[in-house]
Amino acid sequence: MAGDSPDTVYGRLLESVHISGYTMERACIGLEYLLDENRWKSVGVGFDDIDAFSKSIDLSQFRIAVDRRKKLAKRLEEIGATQRATAKALGVTHTTVQRDLGTSVPKKNQKPRDSEKESPSSGTNVPMPLSVSGPQIMRTAENRQERQKKSVSTKDPVIGEARIDLRHGDFKEVLSDIEDGSVSLLLTDPPYGKKFLDLWKDLGKFAARVLSPTGILVAYSGQMYLQECLSALSENLLYWWTGAILHKSPGLSPLGQPVRKVINGWKPLLMYIRKDGKGVQEVFRDLVRGEGQEKDAHNWQQPVSEAAWIIEQFTQPGELVVDPMAGSGTVGVACENTARSFIGAELNG
Ligand SMILES: C[S@@+](CC[C@H](N)C(=O)[O-])C[C@H]1O[C@@H](n2cnc3c(N)ncnc32)[C@H](O)[C@@H]1O
């Protein structure tokens, strides 16, 4: 660090993912250096706000040792960074930061800091009164969710009461009562095969109706029929962005392998908004670093931690997240862990 200007250190932090040999140790030293003596204020375009600075950093590519991470989280808290901005800088979930700072379970009578309060719900974002329906799926889902909660409990403790409603049936029917414009995030993982392409059109229609003006659809997809999936969604929605989940262990692509010979290392996340939507209002990250497969509840199960990461990028606690093709209920569990309300549907009980 000696002799380097704060700008040089900041530039290296931003580019760290591309610099070979750049280690977690160096990244942490760099960040600590910038946090000392308010050096962070003078770097890049210049920052007035510690949150804006924190959100510009991304250490998610490194596995930071827990002690080091706690120290950085504490330091950022002292300077006045919100937990959400700290989570972005350190590349972990909000719940991890809460745990690191010992604020996972709010103490009685403890007022939240202004910056940690939930944003006031707009008329369209008021969480719906959720009902429980579909006893068969609920029973199955409860068992699966119990298993999943156990499997993530050391990483993502349940932090609040989320209302979770997983229904059994075709989403076009069992989710027809969801209020127009009420959903902040539609996070779903439709089947990827050719015979399911019509589902993507139905998903686009459903999203166009239920998404709030600032809401977003994030759909996991494969690559084999990517072009068709994009066309199907574009019929009713506006393309926003493509994100990616980086697989921890690349493998043969089940759909693409026989024809395209691919060792598949990432999964697209297709992001769409309403055609008349306002779009995403806050800066978000488009790369999710996978933590490895979880397939104990469903063959197609996605990891809870990855879903939680996406949910925290796009929503505030209490907002409504919907997964119309819920499988084992991964998104529901992630919502419960992050205190979001959830409604989901699954065809198979
Ligand atoms: C890829 S899996 C989802 C896996 C899920 N992400 C998980 O982590 O367990 C897709 C699911 O969509 C369901 N599905 C397909 N068509 C549906 C429909 N019209 N309504 C509700 N669910 C549907 C399938 O039964 C399947 O379980």
Side-chain angles (χ1 to χ4, degrees), residues 169-171 189 298 300-302 324-325 328 330 346-348:
D170 186 328
F171 74 85
D189 176 30
H298 194 288
W300 292 329
Q301 185 187 338
Q302 301 292 346
M325 288 168 267
S328 62
T330 300
E346 170 51 47
L347 213 44
N348 297 317

Side-chain angles (χ1 to χ4, degrees), residues 41-166:
K41 289 190 173 177
S42 66
V43 297
V45 288
F47 291 96
D48 295 329
D49 177 5
I50 183 65
D51 279 353
F53 168 77
S54 301
K55 285 179 182 175
S56 73
I57 305 279
D58 177 9
L59 298 188
S60 60
Q61 71 268 24
F62 300 112
R63 295 246 170 255
I64 305 181
V66 176
D67 286 355
R68 198 95 198 215
R69 191 183 68 213
K70 281 185 179 170
K71 196 173 151 200
L72 281 166
K74 192 89 203 138
R75 182 78 189 105
L76 281 160
E77 186 186 46
E78 282 162 11
I79 306 175
T82 60
Q83 292 182 347
R84 213 161 283 285
T86 300
K88 283 203 170 171
L90 302 182
V92 294
T93 63
H94 184 190
T95 46
T96 299
V97 172
Q98 287 180 308
R99 196 178 56 221
D100 284 354
L101 295 173
T103 58
S104 308
V105 183
K107 289 181 194 131
K108 270 192 175 170
N109 305 326
Q110 180 183 314
K111 287 192 182 160
R113 295 161 53 186
D114 280 350
S115 53
E116 297 296 332
K117 281 181 192 160
E118 288 176 21
S119 62
S121 299
S122 69
T124 53
N125 272 347
V126 175
M128 304 172 58
L130 305 182
S131 65
V132 173
S133 59
Q136 189 189 345
I137 186 80
M138 285 309 293
R139 241 193 342 268
T140 319
E142 272 167 18
N143 295 341
R144 286 169 178 165
Q145 287 178 4
E146 274 313 308
R147 283 207 300 276
Q148 289 200 358
K149 259 195 255 165
K150 274 185 200 142
S151 74
V152 296
S153 59
T154 51
K155 284 190 269 178
D156 293 310
V158 175
I159 56 163
E161 279 216 7
R163 287 167 297 169
I164 307 297
D165 175 4
L166 186 52

